[in-house]
Amino acid sequence: QVQLVESGGGLVQAGGSLRLSCAASGRTFSRYATGWFRQAPGKAREFVAAISWSGGSTDYVDSVKGRFTISRDKAKNTVYLQMNSLKAEDTAVYYCAAGPYSGRDSAAYNHWGQGTQVTVSS
């Protein structure tokens, strides 16, 4: 079974950058679509970005388009979320997820990481 572990979160100033990583346990991850979601206190979990298993197709929520970039390294079984021009409203716990099909709905994914905190200060 696939296990996912996020890392790279932290505290940054507005306008700064972070690169999140999601490491997978097995080769199956290379055939899985991967999504990033985030959840701020008191709010529902929100779709952020997704990438197909091949890496050839990506999708982003409008609020991060042009600032965030999702990518994957199949050889390393790792997916990344490069976050630039960070804003206070990006503050949330970020989760990576994997599943056989890409989508914006969390129901499309059947494996989830533990989450990593991203805090953006003004």
Side-chain angles (χ1 to χ4, degrees), residues 76-97:
K76 296 181 179 180
N77 290 333
T78 301
V79 63
Y80 305 96
L81 185 67
Q82 179 66 46
M83 309 164 66
N84 298 327
S85 301
L86 283 163
K87 304 175 180 179
E89 53 262 43
D90 295 317
T91 296
V93 177
Y94 283 71
Y95 300 87
C96 67

Side-chain angles (χ1 to χ4, degrees), residues 32-44:
Y32 272 39
T34 303
W36 284 95
F37 292 77
R38 65 187 181 186
Q39 187 166 24
K43 295 186 177 181

